[in-house]
Amino acid sequence: MEKYSIYHSPLAGRYTGRDMQELFSSKRRAETWRLLWLWLAEGQQELDLPISNKAVDQMRSHIAMSDRDFEVAEIEEKRRRHDVMAHVHAFGQAAPEAAGIIHWGATSCYVTDNADLIFLRDGFDILRPKLAGVIQKLADFAQNHKDLACLGYTHGQPAQLTTMGKRACLWIQGLLMDLRNLERARSDLRFRGVKGTVGTQASFLQIFEGDHAKVEQLDEIVTKKAGFDSAFIISSQTYSRKIDVDVGHALGSLGGTCQRIGGDIRHLAMFKELEEPFEKDQIGSSAMAYKRNPMRSERLCSLGRQLVNLAHNTEDTFAAQWLERSLDDSAVRRSSLPEMFLIADGLMILLNNICSGLVVYPAVLQRRINEELPFMATENLIMAMVDTGGSRQDAHEHIRVLSHQATDQVKTHGKDNDLIERVKKDPFFEPILDIIPKLLDPKTFIGRAPQQVEKFTGAGGEVQKALQDYQDQLASAQTTELRV
């Protein structure tokens, strides 16, 4: 019962995947710090500093954190009020031969900031394939519905026709931009490396007795061990918090896209044109048993909004830094950086689930088209009359009068749009009576929507090219299940 007695973040309990939860766990953080201390010692030993093989071996064999290690670290932190030094002492107890050389020449940000950069990199590596999977599912949906005509809406009002597949491509286009942003933000990441207290590497220059080349070699060795191609040449005590801004922008933009998609699905569900998956035993409302609330899409909008707002936080934190470093970034980054990635992960799980089971109602689409198509077809009717030798101005005037009459029937009396019936009864339009059905064919109003969908999502299209590097992951991708 203890777990129900204290607060737990719903991000872990309800919305996110285990892989992202493990990445930002206390265990992964502490073990990454130990790896960083190991890599530093290995590099220093390789460059002829007096570090014994036994010390390095003990460090290497005690990377994994035990419950006892965490208990020691907690006791040390309560005593010293310093989390990094608490873990230095805990690691030293586990590897006593190395106790005197752990953290040699380093500052706290050697482990905290370098670890954060590793987590940002690995977080992107978790997100990118999941986003690619969502894009692929939507591309399949677009292909399957590229010819299915539906009303387009501008200003929230019925406009010209489009297709359900073309509308899905608008969502895909936003997600492709997000995928590009995640890839760019990931590729831009560099390691902080070994830079010392204010970024000058003075402590390491002292350790190596003024040998600049060895200081640079140590920086390169540790950078490679961490899996980075390069390290920042310039840093202060921390890596620039501008990096967090870039990361936040990429993730926040994804949050905005998710809000946009969720909002569209909610509107279409309101029109009964499209629905998200709704399970057999799912309850839409505790009071109104008939309801089919789009709770997945509403959650998508809710989490997307939070991600956008967290991204703004990175800008404030960057702007608030003083000179070489101030600690007012610490507490906020402990929560905001993991939460951005956890929310993004939750969004990808949601979108995967939604896009795996979107339900379209063609009969409703056709009914709504029938309600609006007569007005849309008026230009076709006028042009057809001109083709038979009639006056364009006379045809326009007849259509104007009949349209206003039909509008009055719809708005004042709540009746169906009877414009076409009125046109058929007007002797003026007798020359085109036989071709009116052709003039009202919805497929003549969707322009090149099917061709655009095919070019965009089909073989050799933008979507296929963007997903080329994710084929292995896509081959094994499955529909995600929601916890709640």
Side-chain angles (χ1 to χ4, degrees):
M1 292 298 292
E2 175 63 23
K3 72 175 184 177
Y4 301 111
S5 301
I6 59 175
Y7 174 79
H8 295 276
S9 170
L11 292 178
R14 297 175 69 87
Y15 303 136
T16 58
R18 185 170 181 86
D19 49 1
M20 195 67 81
Q21 292 178 34
E22 288 181 347
L23 176 62
F24 288 100
S25 67
S26 297
K27 180 177 174 63
R28 181 72 65 86
R29 178 170 295 277
E31 290 177 352
T32 302
W33 287 5
R34 288 190 170 189
L35 276 172
L36 285 159
W37 283 316
L38 171 64
W39 296 333
L40 180 62
E42 288 176 337
Q44 290 169 331
Q45 183 190 54
E46 184 178 330
L47 295 171
D48 303 322
L49 291 180
I51 297 176
S52 69
N53 289 334
K54 192 172 182 180
V56 172
D57 289 342
Q58 281 191 358
M59 293 174 73
R60 191 178 293 119
S61 62
H62 288 89
I63 296 300
M65 289 285 292
S66 67
D67 289 345
R68 174 59 183 162
D69 290 330
F70 277 110
E71 290 170 3
V72 171
E74 288 175 5
I75 293 170
E76 291 289 343
E77 184 171 1
K78 187 173 183 180
R79 174 187 172 194
R80 303 176 189 279
R81 302 298 178 188
H82 197 290
D83 56 347
V84 173
M85 286 307 298
H87 279 270
V88 167
H89 283 275
F91 199 13
Q93 290 186 34
E97 290 292 327
I101 58 92
I102 293 171
H103 204 64
W104 191 6
T107 187
S108 297
C109 288
Y110 167 70
V111 288
T112 58
D113 276 38
N114 281 323
D116 282 342
L117 288 164
I118 291 171
F119 300 149
L120 298 181
R121 177 196 66 192
D122 294 353
F124 281 131
D125 288 345
I126 291 172
L127 285 177
R128 291 183 298 118
K130 293 183 179 183
L131 175 53
V134 170
I135 292 171
Q136 184 61 64
K137 286 181 180 292
L138 274 177
D140 293 341
F141 176 87
Q143 279 282 327
N144 292 335
H145 299 88
K146 63 183 178 183
D147 299 307
L148 182 60
C150 62
L151 281 179
Y153 296 89
T154 59
H155 308 277
Q157 303 298 313
Q160 292 294 312
L161 299 190
T162 183
T163 70
M164 191 61 73
K166 171 63 187 295
R167 177 176 285 136
C169 286
L170 298 177
W171 304 337
I172 295 170
Q173 189 169 57
L175 293 172
L176 284 179
M177 293 179 185
D178 293 318
L179 183 61
R180 177 203 64 197
N181 291 341
L182 297 188
E183 291 171 340
R184 180 204 55 76
R186 199 270 190 214
S187 66
D188 282 352
L189 288 175
R190 286 186 275 170
F191 206 48
R192 177 188 177 273
V194 290
K195 297 297 193 292
T197 55
V198 292
T200 65
Q201 298 177 304
S203 59
F204 295 103
L205 190 61
Q206 182 178 357
I207 290 171
F208 287 111
E209 298 179 344
D211 191 331
H212 290 267
K214 284 193 173 182
V215 174
E216 291 198 5
Q217 281 182 275
L218 179 62
D219 207 358
E220 292 170 2
I221 289 170
V222 176
T223 297
K224 297 300 181 187
K225 286 179 179 292
F228 284 83
D229 294 329
S230 63
F232 291 106
I233 297 172
I234 300 299
S235 78
S236 60
Q237 186 173 96
T238 69
Y239 70 77
S240 172
R241 299 308 181 223
K242 189 76 169 180
I243 305 304
D244 294 345
V245 175
D246 274 358
V247 169
H249 284 171
L251 295 174
S253 179
L254 176 61
T257 304
C258 291
Q259 285 189 82
R260 161 69 195 275
I261 295 172
D264 280 356
I265 294 173
R266 291 163 65 192
H267 279 102
L268 295 174
M270 186 169 63
F271 299 151
K272 296 181 173 60
E273 295 183 9
L274 176 77
E275 283 186 346
E276 64 181 35
F278 196 90
E279 296 164 21
K280 177 177 177 292
D281 295 324
Q282 183 174 330
I283 296 174
S285 168
S286 62
M288 295 167 281
Y290 60 88
K291 293 196 74 179
R292 296 169 66 94
N293 297 338
M295 68 87 172
R296 290 168 170 83
S297 300
E298 290 173 318
R299 182 183 298 174
L300 194 69
C301 292
S302 181
L303 291 175
R305 186 183 313 128
Q306 176 68 349
L307 182 51
V308 170
N309 288 328
L310 280 174
H312 292 325
N313 208 334
T314 63
E315 298 170 346
D316 293 338
T317 300
F318 165 65
Q321 284 294 282
W322 293 2
L323 305 174
E324 277 66 50
R325 199 270 166 97
S326 53
L327 197 61
D328 58 336
D329 65 341
S330 178
V332 66
R333 292 177 70 255
R334 283 178 191 266
S335 60
S336 64
L337 290 185
E339 285 178 4
M340 284 196 298
F341 278 91
L342 287 165
I343 291 173
D345 188 61
L347 289 171
M348 292 304 94
I349 292 170
L350 262 176
L351 262 183
N352 179 299
N353 183 272
I354 291 169
C355 296
S356 297
L358 287 172
V359 181
V360 179
Y361 294 103
V364 176
L365 295 177
Q366 188 59 55
R367 176 173 58 80
R368 292 184 63 79
I369 288 173
N370 292 342
E371 291 173 352
E372 304 295 338
L373 190 61
F375 293 135
M376 299 178 191
T378 54
E379 185 67 15
N380 286 4
L381 296 173
I382 292 172
M383 293 299 99
M385 285 299 298
V386 173
D387 288 342
T388 64
S391 164
R392 189 267 177 197
Q393 312 312 331
D394 290 344
H396 183 278
E397 179 60 20
H398 277 268
I399 288 293
R400 185 189 70 80
V401 172
L402 296 177
S403 295
H404 288 181
Q405 293 172 354
T407 299
D408 182 66
Q409 290 296 303
V410 172
K411 293 183 175 180
T412 304
H413 303 288
K415 296 183 177 180
D416 292 336
N417 188 334
D418 63 355
L419 174 59
I420 298 304
E421 296 305 314
R422 292 176 182 274
V423 167
K424 290 178 178 179
K425 293 176 182 178
D426 189 329
F428 179 82
F429 293 101
E430 186 174 349
I432 62 168
L433 285 181
D434 293 341
I435 63 170
I436 285 180
K438 181 180 178 181
L439 298 176
L440 294 173
D441 183 357
K443 290 185 178 180
T444 65
F445 291 85
I446 60 176
R448 298 192 65 255
Q451 290 74 22
Q452 290 177 347
V453 173
E454 183 62 37
K455 186 175 182 179
F456 186 55
T457 64
E462 288 185 33
V463 173
Q464 188 179 81
K465 291 177 181 176
L467 301 185
Q468 189 170 355
D469 292 339
Y470 302 93
Q471 291 307 307
D472 291 343
Q473 295 97 323
L474 293 176
S476 59
Q478 298 179 342
T479 299
T480 56
E481 295 293 331
L482 302 187
R483 219 173 295 177
V484 289

